[in-house]
């Protein structure tokens, strides 16, 4: 079973994603912010991260940057979640 970490400061968004992904057989772990995600991801051996961009404490971009230096999570795929729709807010790499 694939383990997905959902990182979003909105409990509503986390709940919606959890309902959808559980139906497809994913094991889900939740974090309320980037700081929690950085702590949880290496310990829980996640396969994929759904990461909100705009969050308190540490935003999604900073979380992604820090996470890529953590040995167990360097190769974990990340999908950013954002309400921002402008091209200038999209990042690849």
């Amino acid at each position: 079973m694939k383990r997905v970490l959902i990182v979003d400061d909105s409990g509503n968004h986390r709940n919606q994603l959890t309902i959808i992904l559980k139906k497809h057989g994913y094991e889900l772990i939740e974090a309320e912010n980037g700081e929690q995600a950085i702590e949880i991801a290496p310990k829980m051996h996640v396969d994929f991260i759904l990461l909100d961009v705009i969050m308190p404490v540490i935003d999604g971009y900073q979380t992604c940057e820090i996470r890529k230096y953590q040995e167990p999570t360097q190769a974990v795929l990340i999908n950013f979640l954002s309400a921002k729709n402008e091209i200038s807010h999209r990042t690849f790499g």
Side-chain angles (χ1 to χ4, degrees):
M1 181 182 308
K2 295 287 184 183
R3 187 175 286 170
V4 178
L5 174 59
I6 300 171
V7 188
D8 197 317
D9 58 317
S10 167
N12 244 358
H13 292 162
R14 290 192 317 271
N15 288 338
Q16 289 173 355
L17 288 167
T18 297
I19 290 167
I20 293 166
L21 294 171
K22 274 189 178 181
K23 287 180 184 179
H24 294 283
Y26 292 96
E27 181 181 345
L28 303 168
I29 302 161
E30 296 182 25
E32 294 179 6
N33 57 53
E35 188 174 62
Q36 284 182 358
I38 291 165
E39 183 180 323
I40 292 169
K43 294 176 185 174
M44 298 303 292
H45 306 287
V46 298
D47 298 298
F48 191 76
I49 299 172
L50 291 171
L51 181 59
D52 186 17
V53 173
I54 302 172
M55 295 182 293
V57 184
I58 301 175
D59 71 22
Y61 298 126
Q62 293 167 315
T63 302
C64 185
E65 188 66 26
I66 292 167
R67 184 242 10 127
K68 76 180 184 183
Y69 295 107
Q70 291 178 310
E71 188 64 39
T73 61
Q74 287 175 332
V76 174
L77 296 175
I78 291 179
N79 188 4
F80 281 106
L81 304 171
S82 177
K84 292 184 175 186
N85 200 21
E86 299 173 28
I87 295 281
S88 64
H89 291 118
R90 296 181 189 171
T91 324
F92 303 96

mmCIF file of all heavy atoms in Angstrom, residues 1-7 17-18 21-22 24-31 37 39-51 67 72-73 75-79:
data_model
loop_
_atom_site.group_PDB
_atom_site.id
_atom_site.type_symbol
_atom_site.label_atom_id
_atom_site.label_comp_id
_atom_site.label_asym_id
_atom_site.label_seq_id
_atom_site.Cartn_x
_atom_site.Cartn_y
_atom_site.Cartn_z
ATOM 1 N N MET A 1 0.845 -1.179 0.000
ATOM 2 C CA MET A 1 0.000 0.000 0.000
ATOM 3 C C MET A 1 0.895 1.247 0.000
ATOM 4 O O MET A 1 1.828 1.338 0.779
ATOM 5 C CB MET A 1 -0.902 -0.015 1.242
ATOM 6 C CG MET A 1 -1.828 1.166 1.299
ATOM 7 S SD MET A 1 -2.900 1.249 2.760
ATOM 8 C CE MET A 1 -3.643 -0.339 2.795
ATOM 9 N N LYS A 2 0.588 2.183 -0.855
ATOM 10 C CA LYS A 2 1.348 3.429 -0.922
ATOM 11 C C LYS A 2 0.938 4.351 0.218
ATOM 12 O O LYS A 2 -0.234 4.483 0.564
ATOM 13 C CB LYS A 2 1.096 4.153 -2.253
ATOM 14 C CG LYS A 2 1.598 3.393 -3.448
ATOM 15 C CD LYS A 2 3.089 3.458 -3.505
ATOM 16 C CE LYS A 2 3.580 2.779 -4.771
ATOM 17 N NZ LYS A 2 4.996 2.728 -4.867
ATOM 18 N N ARG A 3 1.939 4.992 0.808
ATOM 19 C CA ARG A 3 1.731 5.895 1.943
ATOM 20 C C ARG A 3 1.879 7.337 1.452
ATOM 21 O O ARG A 3 2.919 7.711 0.919
ATOM 22 C CB ARG A 3 2.749 5.581 3.018
ATOM 23 C CG ARG A 3 2.520 6.334 4.304
ATOM 24 C CD ARG A 3 3.481 5.879 5.347
ATOM 25 N NE ARG A 3 3.066 4.554 5.807
ATOM 26 C CZ ARG A 3 3.812 3.799 6.588
ATOM 27 N NH1 ARG A 3 4.994 4.199 6.970
ATOM 28 N NH2 ARG A 3 3.372 2.631 6.979
ATOM 29 N N VAL A 4 0.829 8.133 1.648
ATOM 30 C CA VAL A 4 0.797 9.523 1.189
ATOM 31 C C VAL A 4 0.742 10.456 2.391
ATOM 32 O O VAL A 4 -0.065 10.262 3.297
ATOM 33 C CB VAL A 4 -0.425 9.780 0.275
ATOM 34 C CG1 VAL A 4 -0.486 11.238 -0.152
ATOM 35 C CG2 VAL A 4 -0.384 8.869 -0.947
ATOM 36 N N LEU A 5 1.594 11.480 2.365
ATOM 37 C CA LEU A 5 1.578 12.526 3.391
ATOM 38 C C LEU A 5 0.838 13.729 2.817
ATOM 39 O O LEU A 5 1.229 14.267 1.781
ATOM 40 C CB LEU A 5 3.001 12.914 3.787
ATOM 41 C CG LEU A 5 3.155 14.098 4.738
ATOM 42 C CD1 LEU A 5 2.432 13.854 6.062
ATOM 43 C CD2 LEU A 5 4.627 14.404 4.967
ATOM 44 N N ILE A 6 -0.247 14.124 3.478
ATOM 45 C CA ILE A 6 -1.014 15.307 3.088
ATOM 46 C C ILE A 6 -0.614 16.435 4.034
ATOM 47 O O ILE A 6 -0.781 16.317 5.249
ATOM 48 C CB ILE A 6 -2.529 15.055 3.198
ATOM 49 C CG1 ILE A 6 -2.941 13.905 2.281
ATOM 50 C CG2 ILE A 6 -3.302 16.333 2.864
ATOM 51 C CD1 ILE A 6 -4.378 13.458 2.480
ATOM 52 N N VAL A 7 -0.093 17.517 3.458
ATOM 53 C CA VAL A 7 0.360 18.652 4.263
ATOM 54 C C VAL A 7 -0.461 19.875 3.879
ATOM 55 O O VAL A 7 -0.331 20.399 2.773
ATOM 56 C CB VAL A 7 1.858 18.949 4.031
ATOM 57 C CG1 VAL A 7 2.345 20.004 5.012
ATOM 58 C CG2 VAL A 7 2.691 17.684 4.124
ATOM 59 N N LEU A 17 -9.227 15.341 0.922
ATOM 60 C CA LEU A 17 -8.222 14.519 0.251
ATOM 61 C C LEU A 17 -8.167 13.115 0.853
ATOM 62 O O LEU A 17 -8.019 12.123 0.139
ATOM 63 C CB LEU A 17 -6.845 15.180 0.329
ATOM 64 C CG LEU A 17 -6.680 16.416 -0.548
ATOM 65 C CD1 LEU A 17 -5.412 17.180 -0.158
ATOM 66 C CD2 LEU A 17 -6.640 16.026 -2.017
ATOM 67 N N THR A 18 -8.299 13.032 2.164
ATOM 68 C CA THR A 18 -8.283 11.736 2.839
ATOM 69 C C THR A 18 -9.423 10.848 2.354
ATOM 70 O O THR A 18 -9.225 9.678 2.036
ATOM 71 C CB THR A 18 -8.356 11.927 4.371
ATOM 72 O OG1 THR A 18 -7.189 12.629 4.798
ATOM 73 C CG2 THR A 18 -8.440 10.598 5.097
ATOM 74 N N LEU A 21 -8.635 9.737 -1.340
ATOM 75 C CA LEU A 21 -7.500 8.824 -1.490
ATOM 76 C C LEU A 21 -7.711 7.482 -0.787
ATOM 77 O O LEU A 21 -7.233 6.457 -1.260
ATOM 78 C CB LEU A 21 -6.215 9.496 -1.020
ATOM 79 C CG LEU A 21 -5.776 10.685 -1.892
ATOM 80 C CD1 LEU A 21 -4.613 11.427 -1.244
ATOM 81 C CD2 LEU A 21 -5.418 10.226 -3.289
ATOM 82 N N LYS A 22 -8.429 7.494 0.329
ATOM 83 C CA LYS A 22 -8.724 6.220 1.014
ATOM 84 C C LYS A 22 -9.545 5.297 0.123
ATOM 85 O O LYS A 22 -9.351 4.089 0.131
ATOM 86 C CB LYS A 22 -9.452 6.458 2.333
ATOM 87 C CG LYS A 22 -8.531 6.707 3.485
ATOM 88 C CD LYS A 22 -9.277 6.709 4.798
ATOM 89 C CE LYS A 22 -8.282 6.906 5.928
ATOM 90 N NZ LYS A 22 -8.925 6.891 7.234
ATOM 91 N N HIS A 24 -9.221 4.899 -2.867
ATOM 92 C CA HIS A 24 -8.313 4.312 -3.854
ATOM 93 C C HIS A 24 -7.217 3.470 -3.200
ATOM 94 O O HIS A 24 -6.258 3.081 -3.860
ATOM 95 C CB HIS A 24 -7.712 5.408 -4.733
ATOM 96 C CG HIS A 24 -8.745 6.074 -5.596
ATOM 97 N ND1 HIS A 24 -9.248 5.495 -6.731
ATOM 98 C CD2 HIS A 24 -9.390 7.246 -5.452
ATOM 99 C CE1 HIS A 24 -10.146 6.298 -7.275
ATOM 100 N NE2 HIS A 24 -10.255 7.369 -6.512
ATOM 101 N N GLY A 25 -7.361 3.225 -1.897
ATOM 102 C CA GLY A 25 -6.481 2.295 -1.214
ATOM 103 C C GLY A 25 -5.172 2.862 -0.684
ATOM 104 O O GLY A 25 -4.274 2.099 -0.330
ATOM 105 N N TYR A 26 -5.036 4.178 -0.590
ATOM 106 C CA TYR A 26 -3.816 4.761 -0.059
ATOM 107 C C TYR A 26 -3.854 4.816 1.458
ATOM 108 O O TYR A 26 -4.900 5.024 2.063
ATOM 109 C CB TYR A 26 -3.619 6.186 -0.600
ATOM 110 C CG TYR A 26 -3.318 6.229 -2.066
ATOM 111 C CD1 TYR A 26 -4.323 6.443 -3.000
ATOM 112 C CD2 TYR A 26 -2.019 6.033 -2.528
ATOM 113 C CE1 TYR A 26 -4.056 6.479 -4.354
ATOM 114 C CE2 TYR A 26 -1.736 6.064 -3.876
ATOM 115 C CZ TYR A 26 -2.757 6.283 -4.786
ATOM 116 O OH TYR A 26 -2.489 6.309 -6.128
ATOM 117 N N GLU A 27 -2.699 4.656 2.072
ATOM 118 C CA GLU A 27 -2.550 4.884 3.507
ATOM 119 C C GLU A 27 -2.179 6.348 3.665
ATOM 120 O O GLU A 27 -1.269 6.835 2.990
ATOM 121 C CB GLU A 27 -1.443 3.997 4.070
ATOM 122 C CG GLU A 27 -1.258 4.166 5.557
ATOM 123 C CD GLU A 27 -0.149 3.294 6.117
ATOM 124 O OE1 GLU A 27 0.293 2.356 5.422
ATOM 125 O OE2 GLU A 27 0.281 3.569 7.239
ATOM 126 N N LEU A 28 -2.867 7.051 4.550
ATOM 127 C CA LEU A 28 -2.687 8.500 4.639
ATOM 128 C C LEU A 28 -2.149 8.944 5.984
ATOM 129 O O LEU A 28 -2.514 8.414 7.029
ATOM 130 C CB LEU A 28 -4.011 9.192 4.352
ATOM 131 C CG LEU A 28 -4.587 8.823 2.991
ATOM 132 C CD1 LEU A 28 -5.998 9.287 2.857
ATOM 133 C CD2 LEU A 28 -3.731 9.392 1.894
ATOM 134 N N ILE A 29 -1.286 9.936 5.903
ATOM 135 C CA ILE A 29 -0.718 10.578 7.084
ATOM 136 C C ILE A 29 -0.953 12.068 6.878
ATOM 137 O O ILE A 29 -0.830 12.565 5.753
ATOM 138 C CB ILE A 29 0.786 10.284 7.202
ATOM 139 C CG1 ILE A 29 1.018 8.779 7.263
ATOM 140 C CG2 ILE A 29 1.392 10.974 8.415
ATOM 141 C CD1 ILE A 29 2.412 8.373 6.923
ATOM 142 N N GLU A 30 -1.253 12.789 7.947
ATOM 143 C CA GLU A 30 -1.544 14.208 7.819
ATOM 144 C C GLU A 30 -0.562 15.056 8.624
ATOM 145 O O GLU A 30 -0.105 14.640 9.682
ATOM 146 C CB GLU A 30 -2.964 14.506 8.311
ATOM 147 C CG GLU A 30 -4.045 13.845 7.501
ATOM 148 C CD GLU A 30 -5.439 14.202 7.996
ATOM 149 O OE1 GLU A 30 -5.616 15.271 8.620
ATOM 150 O OE2 GLU A 30 -6.355 13.401 7.753
ATOM 151 N N ALA A 31 -0.284 16.247 8.086
ATOM 152 C CA ALA A 31 0.497 17.259 8.795
ATOM 153 C C ALA A 31 -0.190 18.603 8.583
ATOM 154 O O ALA A 31 -0.705 18.875 7.502
ATOM 155 C CB ALA A 31 1.931 17.308 8.269
ATOM 156 N N ALA A 37 5.573 18.316 8.640
ATOM 157 C CA ALA A 37 5.888 17.450 7.493
ATOM 158 C C ALA A 37 7.356 17.047 7.487
ATOM 159 O O ALA A 37 7.688 15.882 7.241
ATOM 160 C CB ALA A 37 5.543 18.159 6.191
ATOM 161 N N GLU A 39 9.284 16.774 9.985
ATOM 162 C CA GLU A 39 9.506 15.832 11.082
ATOM 163 C C GLU A 39 8.915 14.447 10.767
ATOM 164 O O GLU A 39 9.526 13.422 11.028
ATOM 165 C CB GLU A 39 8.873 16.385 12.361
ATOM 166 C CG GLU A 39 9.110 15.520 13.573
ATOM 167 C CD GLU A 39 8.474 16.110 14.823
ATOM 168 O OE1 GLU A 39 8.485 17.332 14.979
ATOM 169 O OE2 GLU A 39 7.958 15.315 15.627
ATOM 170 N N ILE A 40 7.736 14.425 10.192
ATOM 171 C CA ILE A 40 7.006 13.175 9.960
ATOM 172 C C ILE A 40 7.537 12.368 8.777
ATOM 173 O O ILE A 40 7.678 11.148 8.863
ATOM 174 C CB ILE A 40 5.505 13.471 9.732
ATOM 175 C CG1 ILE A 40 4.852 13.978 11.015
ATOM 176 C CG2 ILE A 40 4.762 12.248 9.197
ATOM 177 C CD1 ILE A 40 3.453 14.533 10.817
ATOM 178 N N ALA A 41 7.790 13.027 7.658
ATOM 179 C CA ALA A 41 8.098 12.323 6.396
ATOM 180 C C ALA A 41 9.217 11.284 6.510
ATOM 181 O O ALA A 41 9.040 10.146 6.069
ATOM 182 C CB ALA A 41 8.401 13.329 5.293
ATOM 183 N N PRO A 42 10.366 11.609 7.099
ATOM 184 C CA PRO A 42 11.437 10.609 7.166
ATOM 185 C C PRO A 42 11.108 9.427 8.079
ATOM 186 O O PRO A 42 11.504 8.300 7.817
ATOM 187 C CB PRO A 42 12.640 11.365 7.716
ATOM 188 C CG PRO A 42 12.292 12.796 7.725
ATOM 189 C CD PRO A 42 10.808 12.900 7.605
ATOM 190 N N LYS A 43 10.355 9.682 9.136
ATOM 191 C CA LYS A 43 10.027 8.628 10.108
ATOM 192 C C LYS A 43 8.975 7.665 9.567
ATOM 193 O O LYS A 43 8.971 6.488 9.912
ATOM 194 C CB LYS A 43 9.489 9.252 11.404
ATOM 195 C CG LYS A 43 10.505 10.062 12.161
ATOM 196 C CD LYS A 43 9.857 10.706 13.371
ATOM 197 C CE LYS A 43 10.823 11.625 14.077
ATOM 198 N NZ LYS A 43 10.180 12.370 15.171
ATOM 199 N N MET A 44 8.078 8.164 8.728
ATOM 200 C CA MET A 44 6.950 7.363 8.270
ATOM 201 C C MET A 44 7.187 6.722 6.901
ATOM 202 O O MET A 44 6.334 6.010 6.402
ATOM 203 C CB MET A 44 5.677 8.225 8.222
ATOM 204 C CG MET A 44 5.270 8.780 9.582
ATOM 205 S SD MET A 44 4.998 7.515 10.838
ATOM 206 C CE MET A 44 3.549 6.731 10.224
ATOM 207 N N HIS A 45 8.324 6.993 6.291
ATOM 208 C CA HIS A 45 8.675 6.389 4.998
ATOM 209 C C HIS A 45 7.552 6.571 3.976
ATOM 210 O O HIS A 45 7.002 5.611 3.468
ATOM 211 C CB HIS A 45 9.021 4.914 5.170
ATOM 212 C CG HIS A 45 10.087 4.682 6.190
ATOM 213 N ND1 HIS A 45 11.406 4.998 5.963
ATOM 214 C CD2 HIS A 45 10.012 4.218 7.460
ATOM 215 C CE1 HIS A 45 12.108 4.712 7.044
ATOM 216 N NE2 HIS A 45 11.292 4.251 7.963
ATOM 217 N N VAL A 46 7.238 7.834 3.691
ATOM 218 C CA VAL A 46 6.153 8.135 2.755
ATOM 219 C C VAL A 46 6.612 7.914 1.316
ATOM 220 O O VAL A 46 7.787 8.024 0.987
ATOM 221 C CB VAL A 46 5.618 9.574 2.945
ATOM 222 C CG1 VAL A 46 5.044 9.744 4.335
ATOM 223 C CG2 VAL A 46 6.666 10.618 2.661
ATOM 224 N N ASP A 47 5.646 7.593 0.458
ATOM 225 C CA ASP A 47 5.912 7.370 -0.964
ATOM 226 C C ASP A 47 5.613 8.604 -1.804
ATOM 227 O O ASP A 47 6.125 8.753 -2.912
ATOM 228 C CB ASP A 47 5.045 6.216 -1.481
ATOM 229 C CG ASP A 47 5.365 4.921 -0.757
ATOM 230 O OD1 ASP A 47 6.515 4.468 -0.867
ATOM 231 O OD2 ASP A 47 4.468 4.390 -0.065
ATOM 232 N N PHE A 48 4.763 9.487 -1.283
ATOM 233 C CA PHE A 48 4.304 10.643 -2.041
ATOM 234 C C PHE A 48 3.862 11.716 -1.064
ATOM 235 O O PHE A 48 3.346 11.402 0.016
ATOM 236 C CB PHE A 48 3.124 10.219 -2.935
ATOM 237 C CG PHE A 48 2.716 11.236 -3.951
ATOM 238 C CD1 PHE A 48 3.462 11.427 -5.099
ATOM 239 C CD2 PHE A 48 1.572 11.993 -3.766
ATOM 240 C CE1 PHE A 48 3.080 12.371 -6.054
ATOM 241 C CE2 PHE A 48 1.178 12.935 -4.706
ATOM 242 C CZ PHE A 48 1.931 13.110 -5.859
ATOM 243 N N ILE A 49 4.048 12.990 -1.443
ATOM 244 C CA ILE A 49 3.636 14.105 -0.578
ATOM 245 C C ILE A 49 2.741 15.050 -1.371
ATOM 246 O O ILE A 49 3.104 15.477 -2.470
ATOM 247 C CB ILE A 49 4.856 14.878 -0.037
ATOM 248 C CG1 ILE A 49 5.755 13.958 0.797
ATOM 249 C CG2 ILE A 49 4.397 16.087 0.791
ATOM 250 C CD1 ILE A 49 7.081 14.583 1.207
ATOM 251 N N LEU A 50 1.576 15.355 -0.809
ATOM 252 C CA LEU A 50 0.705 16.410 -1.325
ATOM 253 C C LEU A 50 0.932 17.606 -0.421
ATOM 254 O O LEU A 50 0.641 17.548 0.779
ATOM 255 C CB LEU A 50 -0.761 15.975 -1.290
ATOM 256 C CG LEU A 50 -1.137 14.871 -2.262
ATOM 257 C CD1 LEU A 50 -2.559 14.382 -1.988
ATOM 258 C CD2 LEU A 50 -1.014 15.354 -3.694
ATOM 259 N N LEU A 51 1.465 18.679 -0.966
ATOM 260 C CA LEU A 51 1.996 19.782 -0.155
ATOM 261 C C LEU A 51 1.344 21.109 -0.522
ATOM 262 O O LEU A 51 1.470 21.586 -1.654
ATOM 263 C CB LEU A 51 3.508 19.853 -0.374
ATOM 264 C CG LEU A 51 4.325 20.877 0.363
ATOM 265 C CD1 LEU A 51 4.195 20.715 1.875
ATOM 266 C CD2 LEU A 51 5.783 20.779 -0.052
ATOM 267 N N ARG A 67 13.227 19.485 2.708
ATOM 268 C CA ARG A 67 12.999 18.054 2.551
ATOM 269 C C ARG A 67 13.976 17.409 1.580
ATOM 270 O O ARG A 67 14.395 16.284 1.757
ATOM 271 C CB ARG A 67 11.552 17.838 2.075
ATOM 272 C CG ARG A 67 11.147 16.421 1.971
ATOM 273 C CD ARG A 67 10.756 15.952 0.591
ATOM 274 N NE ARG A 67 10.998 16.786 -0.525
ATOM 275 C CZ ARG A 67 11.666 16.380 -1.603
ATOM 276 N NH1 ARG A 67 12.159 15.183 -1.688
ATOM 277 N NH2 ARG A 67 11.832 17.186 -2.620
ATOM 278 N N PRO A 72 16.147 10.225 3.766
ATOM 279 C CA PRO A 72 15.062 9.296 3.428
ATOM 280 C C PRO A 72 14.007 9.876 2.486
ATOM 281 O O PRO A 72 13.233 9.154 1.903
ATOM 282 C CB PRO A 72 14.416 8.961 4.766
ATOM 283 C CG PRO A 72 15.244 9.580 5.816
ATOM 284 C CD PRO A 72 16.157 10.570 5.163
ATOM 285 N N THR A 73 13.950 11.208 2.344
ATOM 286 C CA THR A 73 12.870 11.799 1.546
ATOM 287 C C THR A 73 13.356 12.491 0.273
ATOM 288 O O THR A 73 12.553 13.080 -0.437
ATOM 289 C CB THR A 73 12.063 12.817 2.380
ATOM 290 O OG1 THR A 73 12.936 13.874 2.794
ATOM 291 C CG2 THR A 73 11.409 12.165 3.571
ATOM 292 N N ALA A 75 14.104 11.444 -2.668
ATOM 293 C CA ALA A 75 13.523 10.952 -3.916
ATOM 294 C C ALA A 75 11.995 10.880 -3.885
ATOM 295 O O ALA A 75 11.386 10.450 -4.857
ATOM 296 C CB ALA A 75 14.095 9.577 -4.241
ATOM 297 N N VAL A 76 11.386 11.309 -2.800
ATOM 298 C CA VAL A 76 9.929 11.249 -2.687
ATOM 299 C C VAL A 76 9.302 12.312 -3.585
ATOM 300 O O VAL A 76 9.697 13.476 -3.559
ATOM 301 C CB VAL A 76 9.480 11.459 -1.217
ATOM 302 C CG1 VAL A 76 7.970 11.549 -1.114
ATOM 303 C CG2 VAL A 76 10.014 10.343 -0.340
ATOM 304 N N LEU A 77 8.321 11.902 -4.376
ATOM 305 C CA LEU A 77 7.626 12.829 -5.267
ATOM 306 C C LEU A 77 6.718 13.751 -4.484
ATOM 307 O O LEU A 77 6.093 13.339 -3.500
ATOM 308 C CB LEU A 77 6.800 12.059 -6.287
ATOM 309 C CG LEU A 77 7.581 11.199 -7.264
ATOM 310 C CD1 LEU A 77 6.614 10.407 -8.129
ATOM 311 C CD2 LEU A 77 8.485 12.049 -8.125
ATOM 312 N N ILE A 78 6.633 15.009 -4.944
ATOM 313 C CA ILE A 78 5.789 16.013 -4.297
ATOM 314 C C ILE A 78 4.861 16.605 -5.345
ATOM 315 O O ILE A 78 5.276 16.907 -6.457
ATOM 316 C CB ILE A 78 6.641 17.139 -3.674
ATOM 317 C CG1 ILE A 78 7.426 16.612 -2.489
ATOM 318 C CG2 ILE A 78 5.753 18.296 -3.246
ATOM 319 C CD1 ILE A 78 8.300 17.650 -1.839
ATOM 320 N N ASN A 79 3.607 16.798 -4.949
ATOM 321 C CA ASN A 79 2.654 17.522 -5.772
ATOM 322 C C ASN A 79 2.202 18.716 -4.937
ATOM 323 O O ASN A 79 1.692 18.541 -3.832
ATOM 324 C CB ASN A 79 1.463 16.630 -6.132
ATOM 325 C CG ASN A 79 0.544 17.281 -7.139
ATOM 326 O OD1 ASN A 79 0.813 18.362 -7.645
ATOM 327 N ND2 ASN A 79 -0.547 16.621 -7.419
#
